[in-house]
Amino acid sequence: MTMEIMEGSIAIAETVRLCRPQVIPAYPITPQTHIVEGLASIIADGRLDAEYICVESEFSALSACIGASTAGSRVYSATTSQGLALMTEVVFNAAGMRLPIVMGIANRAISAPLSIWNDQQDSIMMRDSGWIQLYAEDNQEAIDMHILAYKVCEDHNILLPAFVCFDGFILSHVYEPVDLPSQELVDEFLGPFNPYQKLDPKDPISFGMYATPEYYMEFRYEHDQAVHRAAEAIKKYGKEFGEMFGRDYSELVVGYKLEDADIALVAMGSICGTVKDAIDEMRADGKKVGLLNLRCFRPFPSTDVAKALAHVNTIAVLDKNVSLGAKGAVAIEIKEACYGSNIPVYDYILGLGGRDVRKKDIKKIVELAEKGEGDMFYGLREEVL
Amino acid sequence: MALGIGCTARPGNSRNNKTGSWRVFYPIMDTEKCTKCGTCQLICPEGCINQNPDKTYSIDLDYCKGCGMCAEECPDKAKAISMVKEEK
């Protein structure tokens, strides 16, 4: 293992190179820009034999991904926030057409008001699109999940696209030590892309056809089943990944000091690092607090969540998003997973639009949960309301 | 017929995927009244009205979506096509 200190975006670009995509259509948007700049340089320098397509919008970027994937190429793109919003129509098409596209999402807030800073609203708004969604805690996870995502997506029993989500700026622009795997190992793990079906003049086939009412529901059912099956595939290939690369991804949810915890914090992404530090300090003060890190939001691992949280007295969900008029999206899912257990689930919407979340905030949230105060926007500045 | 993965279709799939089930009303052609003008064939957006050897027309109900344009455009002199509600 050779650790190198790299910017997250560059580490991701180098990892994508190792996965050998043949076509990369991309449109730069903050905070994803360094990834596609990095990939453009890699291709221009002859370090990756791939077609880089400078498209004129994110809608075109994913459309070109669909074209390249149906033609039998392994493809990659990356986007964020408004770019993902502009892709929306194509996002649903890519999933319905069951194309194994991997796309990096540098999580960023959604306008309006305009914000380039981090929260997870962009990928969360795509939760019903039929894409797999993986969330990285640090840059090592971000690069590992890219490799893992290709393996899962290209399994002929799955055939789904995947978002690999990592917090914009917090991960994408931060220099951290990462272990970049060797080309030989990645080649061995992934192998060459073997499309299930592709455009071929000798064997004509049309993709993305319309379905009449007699067929549409069955297509949706089969798509849904594939997303559910992806949970086991992620675990299976995550275990294989661990055996080959030394970092295990066989669990969709990861506990931290959760075994004997009375209060469980539930979170996704880079905030988990802050939460772990806060938990260490609270444990030193005798508070039995633990963390459940959701690595995978779609498919949602309801059974794993319910099992991991079965013994706690209180659940506090940290949501870097809000389903306006309802609650945070993660809290809604956690409540569904824990339905019938009578464990109170409190939702704390925080860190929106890049608002900093510090250890003291996590401790304050634990105090609020202990008092039974929750389902709130945490950290509002009352003086500007 | 088993579904393909990813909404794919091969040439000739319209033989299996008939669109006649979309209808609420279906047209009936009275060949006695038909003046053989061909307006219905020209106007049919589905292209499912075909000329017979005796120059009359027949409607392929496997694909007719029951839009009623043929009945509407059939000249007053003939009014050979009438729309009847589907019994489902």
Side-chain angles (χ1 to χ4, degrees):
Chain A
M1 186 188 293
T2 342
M3 300 300 280
E4 290 178 72
I5 295 176
M6 303 174 87
E7 189 197 46
S9 296
I10 298 305
I12 288 165
E14 291 293 341
T15 305
V16 171
R17 172 182 63 81
L18 297 171
C19 296
R20 299 189 193 271
Q22 294 144 300
V23 182
I24 301 175
Y27 192 86
I29 177 171
T30 302
Q32 151 270 33
T33 309
H34 294 182
I35 299 169
V36 296
E37 279 178 354
L39 285 165
S41 295
I42 286 166
I43 292 168
D45 292 344
R47 296 170 59 219
L48 172 65
D49 181 18
E51 192 71 37
Y52 186 91
I53 306 176
C54 291
V55 288
E56 78 280 10
S57 76
E58 285 85 359
F59 188 100
S60 300
L62 194 51
S63 299
C65 282
I66 285 182
S69 189
T70 51
S73 304
R74 181 176 285 164
V75 298
Y76 179 76
S77 192
T79 191
T80 177
S81 183
Q82 304 307 111
L84 184 59
L86 185 58
M87 281 183 183
T88 303
E89 183 185 339
V90 199
V91 164
F92 279 76
N93 275 316
M97 289 164 76
R98 307 284 301 278
L99 298 171
I101 297 164
V102 174
M103 189 156 69
I105 306 291
N107 283 122
R108 171 187 139 184
I110 284 279
S111 301
L114 178 63
S115 167
I116 61 165
W117 303 106
N118 161 253
D119 63 36
Q120 293 166 339
Q121 193 70 57
D122 50 1
S123 52
I124 288 289
M125 81 176 169
M126 292 295 173
R127 66 189 185 274
D128 301 335
S129 65
W131 285 56
I132 294 167
Q133 290 198 11
L134 303 173
Y135 285 81
E137 181 187 337
D138 54 29
N139 284 336
Q140 188 64 62
E141 283 195 8
I143 69 173
D144 290 347
M145 283 176 175
H146 273 82
I147 303 166
L148 178 61
Y150 274 112
K151 185 73 175 176
V152 173
C153 293
E154 292 175 5
D155 181 326
H156 286 189
N157 196 39
I158 305 297
L159 292 171
L160 289 170
F163 294 133
V164 179
C165 307
F166 43 94
D167 287 317
F169 292 114
I170 298 170
L171 294 182
S172 66
H173 285 57
V174 161
Y175 282 71
E176 277 185 350
V178 291
D179 170 35
L180 270 184
S182 69
Q183 184 67 73
E184 293 72 25
L185 270 184
V186 176
D187 284 349
E188 189 185 336
F189 184 69
L190 285 185
F193 180 42
N194 172 31
Y196 173 78
Q197 55 195 357
K198 63 177 182 177
L199 295 171
D200 181 358
K202 295 189 186 74
D203 182 21
I205 187 169
S206 301
F207 281 81
M209 305 300 290
Y210 76 79
T212 56
E214 292 93 331
Y215 294 114
Y216 186 86
M217 264 186 75
E218 284 73 18
F219 273 115
R220 295 294 281 172
Y221 170 76
E222 289 206 341
H223 188 173
D224 179 59
Q225 291 299 298
V227 181
H228 280 292
R229 281 199 302 275
E232 285 310 310
I234 296 166
K235 289 178 181 180
K236 177 182 141 192
Y237 293 126
K239 187 169 184 286
E240 282 180 26
F241 187 98
E243 287 160 3
M244 195 173 281
F245 298 91
R247 292 178 294 275
D248 183 80
Y249 289 90
S250 61
E251 295 297 336
L252 305 184
V253 295
V254 187
Y256 179 76
K257 300 191 176 178
L258 193 62
E259 300 81 7
D260 63 338
D262 293 329
I263 298 177
L265 292 154
V266 182
M268 297 195 307
S270 65
I271 195 175
C272 291
T274 312
V275 172
K276 284 175 183 177
D277 285 349
I279 285 172
D280 290 344
E281 291 180 14
M282 285 185 278
R283 285 271 176 177
D285 295 339
K287 272 192 180 174
K288 287 189 169 181
V289 188
L291 164 72
L292 187 71
N293 172 6
L294 288 178
R295 274 181 178 165
C296 177
F297 188 67
R298 280 293 180 272
F300 190 79
S302 294
T303 312
D304 298 1
V305 166
K307 197 173 156 191
L309 299 175
H311 63 282
V312 303
N313 302 327
T314 308
I315 299 168
V317 183
L318 310 179
D319 258 305
K320 275 191 170 182
N321 70 84
V322 54
S323 182
L324 298 166
K327 287 186 171 64
V330 181
I332 293 168
E333 305 273 352
I334 297 292
K335 281 199 173 198
E336 184 272 334
C338 298
Y339 181 73
S341 69
N342 294 324
I343 305 166
V345 178
Y346 300 115
D347 188 23
Y348 301 92
I349 291 152
L350 77 176
L352 300 188
R355 179 71 56 89
D356 207 7
V357 180
R358 298 147 300 180
K359 285 187 288 186
K360 64 180 182 185
D361 297 315
I362 306 300
K363 291 176 185 174
K364 178 73 181 163
I365 282 168
V366 169
E367 284 172 23
L368 289 168
E370 282 172 330
K371 288 189 282 184
E373 294 174 25
D375 295 350
M376 60 168 74
F377 276 62
Y378 171 82
L380 289 177
R381 296 175 55 221
E382 299 293 340
E383 68 273 21
V384 298
L385 288 174
Chain B
M1 186 193 72
L3 291 179
I5 295 224
C7 328
T8 53
R10 296 194 173 275
N13 77 94
S14 60
R15 283 193 286 270
N16 301 321
N17 297 300
K18 299 180 168 64
T19 50
S21 62
W22 301 23
R23 276 193 310 270
V24 179
F25 290 88
Y26 68 97
I28 291 181
M29 168 79 73
D30 185 344
T31 49
E32 295 295 312
K33 290 183 181 174
C34 176
T35 60
K36 306 178 180 61
C37 71
T39 305
C40 57
Q41 185 185 30
L42 289 169
I43 206 76
C44 175
E46 208 56 34
C48 64
I49 300 183
N50 304 303
Q51 197 176 44
N52 302 318
D54 65 351
K55 304 290 192 243
T56 58
Y57 293 89
S58 57
I59 300 164
D60 186 346
L61 292 179
D62 279 346
Y63 297 99
C64 166
K65 292 175 183 164
C67 70
M69 284 168 69
C70 53
E72 185 64 32
E73 295 299 324
C74 186
D76 286 348
K77 213 164 45 169
K79 281 295 171 215
I81 305 175
S82 50
M83 300 301 290
V84 179
K85 195 165 190 321
E86 285 275 0
E87 293 296 329
K88 290 196 178 180

